[in-house]
Amino acid sequence: MTAYLLGIGVLAWMWAVTPALALISATGYVRVASDSSKLLYLGANRAALISTVAQAAAVTSPASVAIRLVTGPVGWAALGVSVGLALYQMHYTPEELTAVKQGAAPSNLQNGTGTVLPNGAVLEPAQSCVYPSCTAGQGQIVTVAIPNKTQATCGLNVQPVAFPLSWFSNLGEAWSGTRNTCVQTFRYVYDGSTANNLVRTGVGTANQQQIADYVSALPASDPKSIESNTSPLGQGVSPTSASTTTSTAVSPSEIPTTVKPVGQVAPTDAVVDPNAPKPAGTQTVPATQTTTTTTTTTTNPDGSTTEATQDTASVSCSAGDHDPRSFGSILQAHLTTWQGSGLLGTLSLLQSLTWPEALPTITFSSSTWGTHQVDFNQWAAVFTVLRTLTIAGAGFAAYRIIFVGGS
């Protein structure tokens, strides 16, 4: 039992402490693919990527889709990067694909005289009466999607929609949680006699080409754009799962990389080599130390004096490749990462893990062969070996997750 507890303690130390140390660059430099590299690839392959999104959104019930850009077999080995490393992932959830589909949908809403409402117009069924069952005093609510606006910008710099039915009142612009987009809301209260004023139910369904055209026209800042839904991966970052995943091999020329000091890595960078060699020609400026000596003289009651000397030293480093972070801040950052990853939560289960003191004895009864007993305590040494191998296997799996990641 002591050996098991010791093994668990070692594993706990490895999982909780060494990840923070392991992810610190041994050379002080990392090779990264920057956000500009992502935008370069998305621009060059925009049509193909948008086509994949449109195909996924055009189905009746969209499922999540992911496109991962991984290092291919050509060129990466020379840079010290392994083949098959995921650099970026474009990911859409079912809700995001539905929002894209709704935004691209042509409207087939119209009034009794055939006036068609703008694209993106939806009759809200939960708040509206449905023609021809409307009675006097009942109302209809129509929301019109406003493209190119995020939740933060919705309601700012409002440009009223050119709504063709003047008897509908514009109630303003706000973010719609049900539609997951910015909308302007229009309301009409039925007078009981002018049935042509009522909007006929139905929402147009966008086809794949209409969805592709819609996504292609979105600015990069729009939450439904391919730029907003493409995130960096790299070493130590696990991709988000999806119902449909496509991996596309890329070359270093398609996703250019640069080497920079570890302290200059941005959140939008994908780290492809955490231990990149220092770039040729990089100069390291020696540290400068300044020492200040302070002497304090104290006069004692008997007239004698006592001198106390204190030296204060300060060290500065002006090297361009110096990492301004301290060991403590790096350690805390990585501990925070692992605490939020779920790995330590799983590790805490080991606190309540107990091993049985005795193995069971199983009795078998048969009318032909009689009664037999199997005492597993006779093979206690075998089960001890199996438990040891289980712990060792879990430790190796943890090592792979922490040091190697998902690649």
Side-chain angles (χ1 to χ4, degrees):
M1 185 61 67
T2 302
Y4 292 136
L5 295 178
L6 178 60
I8 291 173
V10 171
L11 290 176
W13 183 86
M14 290 176 57
W15 290 355
V17 178
T18 56
L21 305 179
L23 294 179
I24 300 174
S25 175
T27 63
Y29 288 85
V30 293
R31 180 175 292 277
V32 301
S34 63
D35 195 54
S36 60
S37 299
K38 178 191 79 173
L39 297 177
L40 176 67
Y41 183 87
L42 295 182
N45 300 273
R46 187 174 182 80
L49 295 172
I50 289 177
S51 176
T52 301
V53 175
Q55 183 178 3
V59 299
T60 303
S61 299
S64 57
V65 62
I67 300 176
R68 295 171 187 164
L69 308 181
V70 302
T71 54
V74 178
W76 291 104
L79 299 176
V81 180
S82 60
V83 175
L85 174 65
L87 302 176
Y88 291 96
Q89 175 175 264
M90 186 177 71
H91 185 275
Y92 281 84
T93 65
E95 294 75 19
E96 290 169 336
L97 289 175
T98 299
V100 168
K101 186 178 182 179
Q102 290 180 345
S107 174
N108 66 357
L109 291 178
Q110 60 185 22
N111 71 339
T113 60
T115 301
V116 179
L117 272 61
N119 286 348
V122 173
L123 180 66
E124 300 293 343
Q127 308 171 58
S128 306
C129 65
V130 179
Y131 174 85
S133 302
C134 294
T135 59
Q138 291 184 317
Q140 287 189 325
I141 298 291
V142 175
T143 57
V144 180
I146 308 299
N148 308 336
K149 280 198 172 184
T150 64
Q151 188 169 2
T153 60
C154 186
L156 303 177
N157 301 319
V158 176
Q159 300 294 326
V161 171
F163 200 77
L165 308 182
S166 60
W167 48 90
F168 275 76
S169 302
N170 191 333
L171 302 183
E173 184 175 291
W175 186 263
S176 170
T178 56
R179 297 189 61 182
N180 195 31
T181 190
C182 185
V183 299
Q184 288 186 20
T185 302
F186 296 83
R187 181 173 182 267
Y188 168 65
V189 178
Y190 183 43
D191 59 9
S193 60
T194 315
N196 283 340
N197 286 354
L198 293 171
V199 169
R200 275 58 175 164
T201 60
V203 179
T205 302
N207 58 34
Q208 183 172 333
Q209 185 58 51
Q210 289 170 325
I211 296 174
D213 294 340
Y214 172 79
V215 176
S216 181
L218 293 176
S221 59
D222 191 285
K224 297 183 288 293
S225 69
I226 61 173
E227 290 84 1
S228 295
N229 286 274
T230 302
S231 56
L233 295 176
Q235 290 281 1
V237 181
S238 299
T240 304
S241 60
S243 299
T244 302
T245 301
T246 302
S247 294
T248 302
V250 297
S251 66
S253 60
E254 293 175 300
I255 303 287
T257 60
T258 57
V259 176
K260 60 172 62 176
V262 67
Q264 297 178 11
V265 177
T268 54
D269 290 338
V271 177
V272 300
D273 182 6
N275 297 300
K278 178 187 291 188
T282 302
Q283 296 181 352
T284 301
V285 180
T288 302
Q289 177 173 325
T290 303
T291 303
T292 302
T293 301
T294 303
T295 302
T296 304
T297 303
T298 304
T299 302
N300 300 316
D302 60 0
S304 63
T305 59
T306 303
E307 291 186 352
T309 302
Q310 181 179 6
D311 294 333
T312 303
S314 61
V315 180
S316 62
C317 179
S318 57
D321 58 346
H322 177 65
D323 188 348
R325 300 178 299 171
S326 66
F327 172 81
S329 64
I330 295 174
L331 177 61
Q332 183 58 50
H334 286 296
L335 286 177
T336 301
T337 299
W338 288 116
Q339 286 171 351
S341 68
L343 184 60
L344 292 184
T346 303
L347 181 62
S348 65
L349 296 176
L350 293 175
Q351 296 176 354
S352 59
L353 181 64
T354 58
W355 302 109
E357 295 295 336
L359 296 173
T361 299
I362 301 178
T363 302
F364 299 93
S365 297
S366 171
S367 59
T368 303
W369 305 105
T371 301
H372 299 273
Q373 285 187 339
V374 178
D375 185 359
F376 286 95
N377 289 285
Q378 297 178 1
W379 291 279
V382 175
F383 284 96
T384 300
V385 172
L386 290 177
R387 287 198 294 245
T388 304
L389 292 176
T390 300
I391 293 176
F396 178 75
Y399 166 81
R400 292 286 301 177
I401 292 172
I402 293 169
F403 290 91
V404 182
S407 61

